[in-house]
Amino acid sequence: MSGCEARDAKKLVRSPSGLRMVPEHRSARSPFGLDEPPWVPDKECPRCMQCDTKFDFITRKHHCRRCGKCFCDKCCSKKVPLPRMCFVDPVRQCAECALISQKETEFYDKQLKVLMNGATFFVTLGTSDKSELMVCRLSNNQRYLVLDGDSHYEIEIIQISTVQILTEGFTPGGGNTRAIGMILQYKVPGSEELTQMKFTASEDFSCNRKLSASWLAAMHKATKLLYESRDQ
């Protein structure tokens, strides 16, 4: 096994919430992941934290695997996939958390694949007036943004500071817009200064524009998940 494969190795662990397939090394975890929340202790929740029903021998309490709060069966009956916490099977979640997890499923089922497949952009580094045509994609382990052209860059996702999606076609009346590029700021390991990259979609073919727009939309969603993981 190579050093890279060893770092990306996973193990099956059992927690009170269920079975999880997690990286053996914490440094190898996905930057979009979330930690399991601590459960509200049973003695601190005599009533459902949603409908205020009192718990007794008949009305049992359940913990939401996403927020850790305590609910009755009626308010916490849905079992929904939760890939951000690496659960193998769908897990019990309250109605509010289940809705959030269901929306995230589209990212994991569709947009993550779009990011990994990549798209072509003209990339401008810093204040340079020269741009380079590069294929940009998310690495399979989700931890790096890989740029390939005459040059090669690997930007660690956790080092990304800000992402600004550039659009055109906006009108005050709310007309249609499309993503045409983005500005990315990140820290190079060992430096406190921010490096900036500008990505501009290639206009050569309509199919390239469509693919680039889809990739940028997926990157916008990925950025939201990244910020949420940091704020946890």
Side-chain angles (χ1 to χ4, degrees), residues 64-117:
C64 171
R65 272 51 174 171
R66 186 178 180 115
C67 67
K69 294 179 181 178
C70 207
F71 302 92
C72 66
D73 183 68
K74 181 180 178 181
C75 294
C76 195
S77 61
K78 292 186 177 181
K79 289 193 174 182
V80 179
L82 186 46
R84 292 185 75 184
M85 291 184 191
C86 304
F87 284 108
V88 174
D89 300 309
V91 290
R92 188 185 292 270
Q93 298 177 58
C94 67
E96 183 178 348
C97 286
L99 188 60
I100 296 170
S101 294
Q102 285 168 341
K103 289 180 179 178
E104 290 172 353
T105 298
E106 181 183 357
F107 173 77
Y108 279 90
D109 287 349
K110 298 178 182 178
Q111 294 168 320
L112 198 56
K113 295 185 178 98
V114 169
L115 290 174
M116 290 178 179
N117 287 337

Side-chain angles (χ1 to χ4, degrees), residues 161-210:
S161 175
T162 60
V163 175
Q164 178 187 355
I165 303 298
L166 306 175
T167 61
E168 70 173 11
F170 176 77
T171 63
N176 291 331
T177 63
R178 68 184 181 99
I180 59 169
M182 72 176 178
I183 294 176
L184 187 77
Q185 289 187 319
Y186 65 97
K187 285 184 180 179
V188 176
S191 172
E192 289 301 313
E193 293 185 6
L194 289 176
T195 298
Q196 179 171 296
M197 275 187 173
K198 182 178 180 180
F199 297 69
T200 306
S202 170
E203 296 290 335
D204 293 348
F205 305 100
S206 60
C207 58
N208 283 353
R209 291 197 299 270
K210 187 174 181 180

Side-chain angles (χ1 to χ4, degrees), residues 30-94:
S30 167
F32 309 117
L34 294 173
D35 291 327
E36 278 190 87
W39 283 9
V40 174
D42 286 351
K43 62 182 179 181
E44 294 181 12
C45 52
R47 295 175 177 273
C48 173
M49 299 178 79
Q50 177 64 41
C51 70
D52 205 37
T53 297
K54 186 176 181 180
F55 295 123
D56 52 31
F57 183 73
I58 297 175
T59 306
R60 309 295 296 273
K61 61 185 66 174
H62 301 279
H63 286 87
C64 171
R65 272 51 174 171
R66 186 178 180 115
C67 67
K69 294 179 181 178
C70 207
F71 302 92
C72 66
D73 183 68
K74 181 180 178 181
C75 294
C76 195
S77 61
K78 292 186 177 181
K79 289 193 174 182
V80 179
L82 186 46
R84 292 185 75 184
M85 291 184 191
C86 304
F87 284 108
V88 174
D89 300 309
V91 290
R92 188 185 292 270
Q93 298 177 58
C94 67

